[in-house]
Amino acid sequence: MERVELEGRGDLREWREAARRLLLAGVPPHRVDWSTEPAAPGLFPEEPRPAAAPTAERSAPPTVPARFMEMAEAVICHRDPARFALLYRLLVRLQTERELLAVAPDPDVAAACQLEKAVRRDCHKMTAFVRFHEIGPQEISPRRRFIAWFEPDHHIVVRIAPFFARRFADMDWLILTPKGTAAFCDGTLHTSTEPAEKPALEDPTDALWLTYYASIFNPARLKIEAMRAEMPKKYWKNLPEAALIPELIAGAGGRVAAMAEASDQPAPLFHERLQARQAAPEPGPEVPATLDTLRKQAAGCTRCPLHCQATQTVFGEGPERAPLMVVGEQPGDREDLAGRPFVGPAGQLFDENLQAAGIERARTYVTNAVKHFKNEPRGKRRIHRTPNAGEIRQCRWWLGRELDLVRPKVVVAMGASALFALTDEKPRLADLRGQVLPLGTDRHLLVTVHPAYLLRLPDAGRQAEETRRFRQDLTLAHDWLKKNDE
């Protein structure tokens, strides 16, 4: 039996040197006794044995994948005494089973992953729950000085110390633990694996911290099980704020009730003024007498941020008086560049079905609920994004003026955005489609889909069926106008 004594405090190098020597000598895992305790003296002193010579099979240096070294650096920090033997078994097996680490159900791989996960969790908890206490100025250095005590489960101090050096590089600090220390002084990090004793920690700023912690505690969002999972009780004894937790939990119900009772009280007067100011409609430009004047005013529209990403305003197009108005969602990429509505692929499909329904585009006023192209750049392309309710409401002033000047008898709303712009409601299109509904006192509304929807349908059969229904909707508008034309 080959006995290997290690310090076992998270130093991968000492295990790696011993494991390399054993592997080159061909020593199987079951013949190695890994220990962090010195051997008890025997009755007779043992003569030192010469180091085993490399076998012929192991004359070449062993190799392992990078993932094994990453795993070993974490596993070696675990407190489990079996970690050394586990890593050596994996090392031996990896010489012939090159893809071993990809076999998650393997007992050795699964055990190593569990140890690695525990060490990473312990590191995370240390970064979250270390509490520094200021210990006063030092005459030889103007930097502030702090000290902290933490009790990790594993030998992680050397592993996690660089994080604190980066995070708190503007001060000198000392972290003491039962498994080692880390000190940062004048920009230099020093670490040790020697156990430390808990110091007496007093900081006058603790009272300020406790006041802050109590003030941000939200009893309405209290989830005790989740809190205990993220902040296990074993850490509470070293957290100043932990002394407040039982009292805060006990009083949570009463504080929630008080918050609910306070919510019924009227808001302060200045809140009412702010809300009234926000609810007041923005004064629009003077209402013009012609579409041409309205179009010129809209060219400089900055009512919402969409004008920042669009090339230009795409205003409505058609005769000054038109019995039929068609409202879409917003201009697309082609429309944004051309400055005209419905000239892209969806516009071409719209023109084809408009003609098939017996409607002349020259006698129809076509526009959009939103006058600027909302898009998201992706490489050299600009991808369409649906305008939100706020953007549609901001642009409704222009649509309202178009309705006032054009005075259509029937308005066709193509898509949900157009329907919302015209009615300020969001019903299902399917519930309104195929009907001519009243829209105000002297005009009517017909709801249908947007031609861009037809282009996005992947199934050719369904696309043909939906196109046929779209054409029927336009035909219904044409027939209603013809029947009610005075």
Side-chain angles (χ1 to χ4, degrees):
M1 180 68 71
E2 185 83 17
R3 179 179 175 82
V4 180
E5 295 182 8
L6 301 176
E7 185 182 68
R9 296 178 181 174
D11 185 3
L12 179 63
R13 181 177 53 184
E14 62 169 356
W15 173 88
R16 182 173 57 189
E17 292 176 354
R20 178 186 177 90
R21 174 179 60 81
L22 294 170
L23 185 63
L24 289 173
V27 180
H30 67 277
R31 297 290 300 168
V32 183
D33 177 21
W34 302 88
S35 177
T36 57
E37 301 293 337
L43 184 60
F44 301 100
E46 294 185 4
E47 295 183 0
R49 291 180 299 173
T55 62
E57 296 82 7
R58 292 294 179 196
S59 57
T63 59
V64 292
R67 170 67 182 123
F68 174 77
M69 296 306 301
E70 177 186 354
M71 175 187 291
E73 287 177 351
V75 171
I76 207 69
C77 296
H78 204 279
R79 65 183 178 183
D80 188 350
R83 64 191 183 278
F84 308 113
L86 173 62
L87 288 175
Y88 186 61
R89 285 198 305 273
L90 287 172
L91 174 64
V92 172
R93 293 179 62 188
L94 280 169
Q95 305 312 303
T96 55
E97 304 173 56
R98 303 302 296 177
E99 303 299 325
L100 173 62
L101 297 183
V103 185
D106 182 89
D108 287 341
V109 175
C113 288
Q114 286 295 326
L115 299 186
E116 180 186 23
K117 183 178 180 181
V119 169
R120 294 187 184 279
R121 186 188 304 114
D122 203 28
C123 289
H124 171 71
K125 297 302 182 185
M126 184 170 178
T127 62
F129 298 137
V130 163
R131 294 292 184 267
F132 284 105
H133 299 261
E134 192 162 10
I135 56 177
Q138 187 178 15
E139 295 181 359
I140 62 174
S141 174
R143 292 160 62 92
R144 300 174 68 186
R145 302 168 64 226
F146 295 81
I147 190 171
W149 171 258
F150 186 74
E151 299 179 20
D153 291 333
H154 309 291
H155 302 278
I156 62 171
V157 176
V158 175
R159 178 182 177 87
I160 202 63
F163 164 83
F164 290 95
R166 295 189 301 269
R167 180 66 179 82
F168 304 106
D170 61 337
M171 66 188 197
D172 293 341
W173 48 261
L174 176 65
I175 301 177
L176 303 173
T177 81
K179 292 182 169 60
T181 62
F184 190 76
C185 183
D186 291 331
T188 303
L189 177 64
H190 303 276
T191 58
S192 170
T193 58
E194 293 296 325
E197 295 184 0
K198 184 175 181 179
L201 300 175
E202 293 184 2
D203 189 344
T205 61
D206 280 352
L208 181 61
W209 163 245
L210 295 180
T211 302
Y212 171 73
Y213 185 82
S215 68
I216 65 172
F217 182 82
N218 187 347
R221 302 184 65 182
L222 176 63
K223 296 182 179 179
I224 298 178
E225 294 303 322
M227 184 183 70
R228 287 175 177 168
E230 292 298 321
M231 187 192 295
K233 274 196 170 183
K234 64 182 179 181
Y235 298 110
W236 287 20
K237 59 184 178 181
N238 295 316
L239 297 176
E241 66 270 24
L244 300 176
I245 293 177
E247 180 182 352
L248 293 173
I249 292 177
R255 292 181 61 186
V256 171
M259 292 167 60
E261 184 178 353
S263 65
D264 296 332
Q265 299 177 2
L269 182 60
F270 75 91
H271 284 186
E272 294 183 0
R273 291 198 298 265
L274 289 176
Q275 292 174 357
R277 186 185 306 170
Q278 184 177 8
E282 290 187 14
E286 184 180 350
V287 179
T290 65
L291 279 174
D292 287 339
T293 306
L294 185 66
R295 183 178 292 105
K296 293 176 182 178
Q297 287 184 356
C301 178
T302 57
R303 296 175 68 90
C304 74
L306 293 186
H307 73 279
C308 299
Q309 53 182 270
T311 304
Q312 58 188 313
T313 301
V314 180
F315 204 71
E317 183 178 83
E320 187 82 20
R321 295 283 189 271
L324 178 64
M325 175 186 283
V326 180
V327 182
E329 179 192 75
Q330 68 163 343
D333 183 73
R334 298 276 186 88
E335 289 80 2
D336 176 69
L337 297 175
R340 297 181 55 208
F342 294 97
V343 295
Q348 295 174 10
L349 183 61
F350 168 70
D351 285 345
E352 293 174 6
N353 287 276
L354 199 68
Q355 184 178 5
I359 301 173
E360 297 181 35
R361 176 159 175 170
R363 298 186 59 197
T364 304
Y365 189 87
V366 293
T367 188
N368 284 295
V370 174
K371 312 303 184 189
H372 287 110
F373 178 34
K374 183 176 182 179
N375 62 87
E376 177 182 347
R378 291 186 188 174
K380 296 182 179 180
R381 301 178 60 196
R382 295 187 299 171
I383 305 301
H384 162 276
R385 291 181 59 198
T386 303
N388 59 40
E391 292 157 350
I392 294 174
R393 287 193 176 103
Q394 288 293 336
C395 215
R396 185 178 290 157
W397 191 90
W398 301 108
L399 181 61
R401 303 295 78 72
E402 288 178 298
L403 287 167
D404 293 341
L405 293 173
V406 176
R407 300 178 184 176
K409 294 181 179 180
V410 174
V411 181
V412 176
M414 297 196 303
S417 296
L419 179 60
F420 177 69
L422 291 164
T423 65
D424 202 28
E425 298 178 358
K426 295 184 177 181
R428 293 176 64 247
L429 263 66
D431 295 340
L432 303 180
R433 193 172 180 183
Q435 309 172 58
V436 179
L437 306 170
L439 181 65
T441 56
D442 56 352
R443 65 175 61 102
H444 291 75
L445 173 70
L446 187 143
V447 180
T448 187
V449 297
H450 196 283
Y453 160 76
L454 304 175
L455 295 176
R456 291 193 297 267
L457 292 174
D459 182 72
R462 188 182 174 196
Q463 186 181 64
E465 174 61 22
E466 288 296 324
T467 302
R468 183 186 64 80
R469 292 189 61 196
F470 176 63
R471 188 175 303 170
Q472 284 182 346
D473 292 337
L474 296 178
T475 302
L476 177 61
H478 171 267
D479 293 344
W480 189 94
L481 281 172
K482 188 175 182 180
K483 180 179 179 181
N484 293 272
D485 188 18
E486 296 179 359

